Amino acid sequence: MTRISSSGGTPTRASQSDTSVAAAQPKPEVRKPAVTSQDSFSRPTQKGVERAAVAINPDEFVPGPTRRDVYNDLDVQKIRSQSNSIRSFSEGEAQPRTREDALANADRLLGGANFLKLSETAQGANITRDAKDVNDAADTDPASPRHQAAVAEVEANAALEQEALDNLSPEERQQYQEVRDGLMAVEPAGDPVATLALQKLLLEGKLPGEEALGGEGDLLDQLHTLQTQELGEGIDRGALLSDVVQELATPESVNQRNKGTCAATAATIQLLMENPAEYVRLVAGLASSSGEVTLADGETVMKREALGAEAKGGEDVRSESQELLAPAFMEVANGDKDYQDKTDAHYEDGKKTHSGLYADEFDRLAEAVFDRKVDTVKGIGGAEEEAAAWELIQERTAAGESVAVGMTWGSGGHQVVVTGTGVDPKTGEEYVEYTNPWGRTERMPKDEFLSRLNSMHTRPEEKGKELDRAPRHPDAPDRIARTG
């Protein structure tokens, strides 16, 4: 698959869920009373109709530079200037680089921090981080400011990188170097952006990392396997390795792009946050010559779906890793149904049943991937239920965990990964922060979030007792559902 340019093209599927940051400010979304849908894959819920989470990003193919691109270009030039000043330290013109400086610059270049802080979405949220797509063509274009800034950063980090490598074993240093060499061999001019992401992982202390949930080694072992193993036909090793390393360094960069796989992508983001070695193990298994891998539950065997333009219904704009993982996750989630990536839908006996994933299908996927039971709190609608849900979210995120939630989104549903809550110091307004599978981080006011909240996925032993005690809403049968 070729690297994706940030401009040009035509969207392959319409959506009402958001508007481009380059376009005029959208009108606020009108909240209409829920009506019963005639879709065969909709289900009645307290808040109207439960639809499988399918919302996709409509901002993918806006011609010309967006505000994000303009700000990124300005910022990478600033980073490049700072990096050049570090290199002249020997002449006494600058201070030596610290690990904190290196990580801050890498985070800004990779994560798009603060570029769109005041940009409001059609759902009433603010975008706080908008990471570049990991397969952006600018990464390997020596003429692009992003490429040049990354080159300068990688060189400026050399002493810190060596210092961190000195703490690894000789075998681990060799593994790291081989992965690094693979990134700098990506056509046509190497990928310094991915190399900077690898440095970030090292300087953060995430390499060699923890053991994968399914075994077979730690994060560095898994990356080395991806770099050295035999690959399936048609898989570009350099592009795949580059995409994976950037997603590891910046989990919010994972993007469903033009497919309705937000729930599967949410599970991917949670896996990256919780056990990055397992994420690489799964991608490596799908990319291998056998094209299959056993999930952490020890029972579910996940297989690679067909690749190529014919199987995808046109060029696939997702990252190499998501092209492999997203359709495979959808297939695991739907049980006995058949997911077809070309039409982005599930089929049973040759008949389309639905797109996206329902809450119970997400549970099936999460239980296999993480090897633990998952409870879903559904039909959240009353004030007491919303208050209990908010308390549980605060408890779990304060403990450093993420919470996958289903939300009403436009005329359908969407799944996001909640990572924290807070209070705006200027307004005193409470908000929730979440990773949107559109490759960005957003903040939504508490009241707006709770009005949209339909379901939460949590561990059984952590399900809030307050929710169990909350009065049962008369229109919310099966408010708490457990899948097996």
Side-chain angles (χ1 to χ4, degrees):
M1 184 176 75
T2 57
R3 312 302 282 175
I4 303 302
S5 173
S6 60
S7 63
T10 303
T12 59
R13 182 173 174 182
S15 172
Q16 300 174 2
S17 52
D18 204 350
T19 53
S20 169
V21 296
Q25 183 67 24
K27 296 181 179 179
E29 179 181 352
V30 177
R31 305 290 294 278
K32 298 180 179 180
V35 295
T36 303
S37 170
Q38 299 303 311
D39 295 335
S40 61
F41 50 89
S42 63
R43 304 171 180 173
T45 70
Q46 189 278 342
K47 287 189 176 178
V49 173
E50 177 193 4
R51 294 197 176 195
V54 297
I56 58 175
N57 189 350
D59 299 340
E60 297 302 338
F61 307 101
V62 180
T66 64
R67 274 174 50 195
R68 181 191 68 182
D69 295 325
V70 173
Y71 288 159
N72 274 350
D73 285 346
L74 291 174
D75 206 74
V76 296
Q77 291 171 9
K78 180 179 179 180
I79 293 174
R80 183 173 57 186
S81 176
Q82 293 172 345
S83 303
N84 290 335
S85 69
I86 294 295
R87 290 204 302 270
S88 61
F89 168 66
S90 58
E91 285 79 28
E93 298 177 5
Q95 295 298 315
R97 167 162 289 204
T98 66
R99 182 172 299 205
E100 291 73 22
D101 292 334
L103 290 175
N105 272 6
D107 189 56
R108 291 168 65 194
L109 192 148
L110 296 168
N114 301 320
F115 295 149
L116 294 175
K117 205 165 197 176
L118 299 179
S119 178
E120 187 172 344
T121 72
Q123 290 74 38
N126 285 326
I127 305 171
T128 58
R129 290 168 62 89
D130 194 7
K132 280 275 194 176
D133 293 318
V134 297
N135 57 353
D136 194 304
D139 293 356
T140 56
D141 179 4
S144 78
R146 180 174 167 87
H147 180 103
Q148 295 168 4
V151 168
E153 280 297 295
V154 168
E155 293 177 356
N157 292 338
L160 292 171
E161 181 182 35
Q162 186 57 55
E163 181 182 336
L165 287 172
D166 289 342
N167 294 321
L168 303 184
S169 69
E171 180 184 1
E172 290 166 342
R173 288 196 292 270
Q174 182 177 352
Q175 288 179 321
Y176 179 89
Q177 188 61 52
E178 290 184 20
V179 173
R180 193 184 193 282
D181 290 345
L183 296 173
M184 290 309 295
V186 174
E187 298 288 345
D191 194 336
V193 175
T195 305
L196 179 63
L198 184 68
Q199 282 186 337
K200 181 174 183 282
L201 293 172
L202 179 67
L203 297 181
E204 286 177 329
K206 294 181 178 178
L207 297 176
E210 297 181 358
E211 183 87 0
L213 288 173
E216 303 177 26
D218 55 35
L219 177 56
L220 186 54
D221 291 327
Q222 304 296 339
L223 285 172
H224 187 255
T225 295
L226 189 60
Q227 166 61 19
T228 57
Q229 71 176 3
E230 183 180 351
L231 298 179
E233 184 179 356
I235 296 176
D236 185 327
R237 186 189 306 278
L240 176 60
L241 183 66
S242 172
D243 292 351
V244 165
V245 170
Q246 289 182 72
E247 289 168 342
L248 289 168
T250 313
E252 67 266 32
S253 67
V254 177
N255 196 331
Q256 69 190 82
R257 298 301 296 266
N258 60 342
K259 298 289 184 178
T261 59
C262 58
T265 307
T268 299
I269 293 167
Q270 286 192 295
L271 184 59
L272 273 163
M273 293 176 174
E274 183 171 323
N275 194 290
E278 180 70 2
Y279 170 72
V280 184
R281 188 184 76 85
L282 297 185
V283 172
L286 293 174
S288 69
S289 56
S290 70
E292 63 181 45
V293 61
T294 302
L295 298 183
D297 66 355
E299 300 177 356
T300 305
V301 177
M302 186 167 64
K303 298 183 178 181
R304 180 174 68 234
E305 299 295 306
L307 302 176
E310 183 176 348
K312 304 297 179 181
E315 185 177 29
D316 197 316
V317 298
R318 292 171 292 188
S319 68
E320 298 280 345
S321 45
Q322 296 316 301
E323 182 180 359
L324 289 166
L325 195 58
F329 269 11
M330 296 290 279
E331 195 69 78
V332 170
N334 68 18
D336 295 331
K337 297 181 179 66
D338 175 37
Y339 175 75
Q340 297 183 18
D341 198 36
K342 184 174 183 178
T343 57
D344 191 22
H346 306 276
Y347 293 82
E348 189 170 24
D349 297 328
K351 182 179 179 181
K352 178 181 175 180
T353 59
H354 63 287
S355 296
L357 294 179
Y358 286 119
D360 54 352
E361 292 174 323
F362 177 86
D363 287 350
R364 182 184 292 118
L365 171 63
E367 289 179 351
V369 169
F370 294 99
D371 189 27
R372 60 175 180 243
K373 291 295 293 181
V374 176
D375 273 349
T376 294
V377 182
K378 300 175 67 175
I380 302 169
E384 292 186 57
E385 288 179 320
E386 291 178 354
W390 181 255
E391 183 175 346
L392 179 58
I393 286 173
Q394 288 183 304
E395 289 177 357
R396 299 276 41 88
T397 55
E401 298 185 17
S402 62
V403 181
V405 302
M407 302 174 68
T408 300
W409 206 270
S411 60
H414 192 39
Q415 187 118 332
V416 302
V417 179
V418 175
T419 55
T421 63
V423 178
D424 189 314
K426 295 182 179 179
T427 65
E429 183 178 52
E430 290 185 275
Y431 63 81
V432 61
E433 185 164 79
Y434 55 86
T435 300
N436 190 326
W438 295 352
R440 66 198 196 196
T441 301
E442 299 177 5
R443 287 182 180 177
M444 181 178 286
K446 172 186 173 182
D447 291 345
E448 179 69 22
F449 172 77
L450 291 178
S451 73
R452 294 175 175 274
L453 183 63
N454 283 323
S455 62
M456 292 193 311
H457 305 266
T458 183
R459 305 183 191 190
E461 68 273 17
E462 295 169 349
K463 186 171 59 181
K465 294 181 180 179
E466 295 81 357
L467 280 170
D468 288 337
R469 293 198 303 265
R472 181 184 181 89
H473 195 283
D475 297 324
D478 299 324
R479 181 172 58 84
I480 297 177
R482 175 178 293 184
T483 59

